[in-house]
Amino acid sequence: IAGITQAPTSQILAAGRRMTLRCTQDMRHNAMYWYRQDLGLGLRLIHYSNTAGTTGKGEVPDGYSVSRANTDDFPLTLASAVPSQTSVYFCASSDSVAGGTDTQYFGPGTRLTVL
Amino acid sequence: GQNIDQPTEMTATEGAIVQINCTYQTSGFNGLFWYQQHAGEAPTFLSYNVLDGLEEKGRFSSFLSRSKGYSYLLLKELQMKDSASYLCAALDSNYQLIWGAGTKLIIKP
């Protein structure tokens, strides 16, 4: 069982280019999340999805979009990348959103540099 | 606003005990998590507290006081592999996790 996979591992991107970060989980979790992690700051939620077919905005959604066509995949798209989007991006999943321990399990991350 | 505070960095000696504190202010509260993150890796789950008191898991223990908005992670018998960042996160009334910036723990021989 792989858990959560992310691709690519790292990417250097020219400003203005479009980029999709991929995330796939094989745990059949309902909820999935995208975070960015920047030095000196906590993980910040970009978008989330409580179940296939639904998405919601997190703390820092501007410049990003997501889709959730099925349970396993949750891609994050940067329509026109800007240097401030340079960050490490983590995808996570949890079995449910409300109730219980709601532990989130994280993918290995994508290190994105926008020049 | 919602806020999580934890020290930026701590240093401890191999074999010793260290306590990492976390204070939180959230709109509603549905529990507090601790995660461990080694450099260049993903965060991994350590503990979850929703009721007041101490939860022990081997060398790691986590404490919660809801009335004080306070938690700590206690690491005993420190090993070099415990060198990592420790992230505190509170689950708010909307079941969104609010994350602290993390405490970098440096273990010296």
Side-chain angles (χ1 to χ4, degrees):
Chain A
I1 296 177
I4 301 181
T5 58
Q6 293 184 236
T9 303
S10 64
Q11 182 75 44
I12 299 174
L13 189 67
R17 296 296 296 268
R18 181 184 179 89
M19 175 74 191
T20 295
L21 308 185
R22 300 185 298 279
C23 174
T24 300
Q25 54 109 353
D26 63 4
M27 296 177 284
R28 309 302 294 173
H29 283 170
N30 288 318
M32 297 186 75
Y33 314 83
W34 273 106
Y35 291 94
R36 58 178 291 172
Q37 187 175 41
D38 302 291
L39 197 63
L41 299 177
L43 287 161
R44 291 184 291 168
L45 183 65
I46 303 170
H47 285 286
Y48 65 93
S49 168
N50 288 340
T51 189
T54 68
T55 62
K57 294 182 180 180
E59 180 186 356
V60 289
D62 294 343
Y64 306 94
S65 64
V66 292
S67 61
R68 186 89 184 277
N70 56 60
T71 298
D72 299 343
D73 300 302
F74 191 44
L76 176 74
T77 297
L78 290 67
S80 179
V82 295
S84 62
Q85 292 177 312
T86 294
S87 189
V88 180
Y89 291 86
F90 286 103
C91 179
S93 72
S94 65
D95 194 30
S96 61
V97 175
T101 61
D102 201 32
T103 300
Q104 293 187 16
Y105 297 90
F106 286 79
T110 293
R111 185 174 298 275
L112 182 67
T113 303
V114 183
L115 301 176
Chain B
Q2 307 199 96
N3 193 52
I4 305 284
D5 284 319
Q6 51 181 132
T8 302
E9 186 175 296
M10 298 181 71
T11 302
T13 304
E14 190 177 16
I17 299 173
V18 70
Q19 178 175 311
I20 302 173
N21 296 323
C22 170
T23 58
Y24 63 89
Q25 290 179 309
T26 55
S27 55
F29 179 75
N30 283 297
L32 190 124
F33 290 83
W34 284 96
Y35 280 76
Q36 180 190 59
Q37 186 178 25
H38 285 101
E41 297 183 8
T44 55
F45 170 76
L46 285 178
S47 67
Y48 170 76
N49 294 65
V50 67
L51 300 176
D52 285 355
L54 187 68
E55 297 268 350
E56 296 186 71
K57 273 187 185 180
R59 294 190 300 114
F60 291 10
S61 303
S62 55
F63 172 83
L64 176 67
S65 168
R66 295 177 67 130
S67 62
K68 295 182 179 178
Y70 167 70
S71 174
Y72 68 72
L73 181 69
L74 191 71
L75 291 75
K76 302 176 184 176
E77 301 169 16
L78 286 169
Q79 301 175 10
M80 297 304 293
K81 67 179 182 179
D82 297 330
S83 291
S85 289
Y86 291 86
L87 314 181
C88 172
L91 200 59
D92 72 7
S93 58
N94 294 319
Y95 292 93
Q96 299 280 7
L97 272 176
I98 310 302
W99 294 84
T103 298
K104 182 178 181 180
L105 178 63
I106 300 167
I107 310 295
K108 295 187 174 179

